[in-house]
């Protein structure tokens, strides 16, 4: 079987593809499993032209314990400039969580269990 994706270049076996599909499915399930525990917001930070959509950013918690470090992903950003304040960047951030949560991948999979499915039954077949 020839496989040509951003993840795999070259030839791969069916077993390798099934392993890849299992790991990607597990990762996707984990990413969507705890979304209700995450929050989003817009933050103003000093001028930061290097921030782009998809960048993971660390910020201080906006409420509660201001010493707590949070992490999230930038979805968009805008820059402004004024004489009084200088340059500022406003970033929209999603999937904000305490930084220590991102260090524990198991947190995302809490409550999930793996289910074995026979992939061959769901593969498309060629019709003549």
């Amino acid at each position: 079987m020839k496989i040509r994706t951003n993840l795999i270049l070259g030839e791969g076996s069916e077993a390798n593809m099934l392993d890849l599909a299992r790991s990607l499915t597990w990762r996707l399930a984990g990413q969507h499993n705890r979304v209700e525990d995450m929050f989003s917001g817009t933050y103003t930070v000093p001028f930061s032209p290097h921030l782009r959509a998809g960048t993971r950013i660390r910020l201080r918690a906006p409420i509660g314990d201001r010493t707590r470090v949070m992490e999230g992903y930038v979805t968009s950003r805008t820059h402004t400039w004024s004489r009084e304040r200088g340059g500022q960047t406003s970033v929209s951030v999603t999937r904000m969580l305490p930084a220590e949560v991102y260090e524990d991948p198991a947190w995302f999979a809490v409550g999930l269990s793996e289910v074995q499915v026979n992939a061959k039954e769901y593969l498309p077949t060629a019709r003549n």
Side-chain angles (χ1 to χ4, degrees):
M1 165 178 5
K2 286 206 175 223
I3 300 135
R4 192 136 181 94
T5 70
N6 292 333
L7 299 172
I8 299 175
L9 296 174
E11 294 187 20
S13 68
E14 183 177 339
N16 288 345
M17 282 307 300
L18 290 175
D19 287 342
L20 175 64
R22 280 187 203 100
S23 64
L24 290 177
T25 301
W26 185 253
R27 181 180 174 121
L28 185 63
Q31 287 178 351
H32 291 283
N33 184 42
R34 308 275 307 260
V35 171
E36 69 277 359
D37 297 325
M38 304 174 193
F39 64 94
S40 303
T42 302
Y43 300 86
T44 301
V45 297
F47 185 66
S48 304
H50 63 282
L51 294 177
R52 303 204 184 280
T55 303
R56 190 173 348 178
I57 186 173
R58 284 182 168 227
L59 300 164
R60 299 272 174 219
I63 55 175
D65 182 3
R66 300 276 303 153
T67 62
R68 190 163 201 188
V69 176
M70 306 293 283
E71 286 190 16
Y73 292 91
V74 174
T75 56
S76 66
R77 53 110 164 110
T78 58
H79 304 295
T80 57
W81 180 267
S82 70
R83 281 188 189 181
E84 300 80 29
R85 294 184 178 182
Q88 292 186 315
T89 301
S90 292
V91 291
S92 293
V93 183
T94 189
R95 300 179 63 84
M96 288 290 289
L97 290 167
E100 61 269 13
V101 170
Y102 279 106
E103 296 169 7
D104 179 19
W107 182 88
F108 294 92
V110 168
L112 295 179
S113 60
E114 191 171 345
V115 176
Q116 186 67 32
V117 176
N118 184 354
K120 290 182 182 182
E121 293 177 15
Y122 300 100
L123 292 175
T125 56
R127 294 186 184 182
N128 292 333

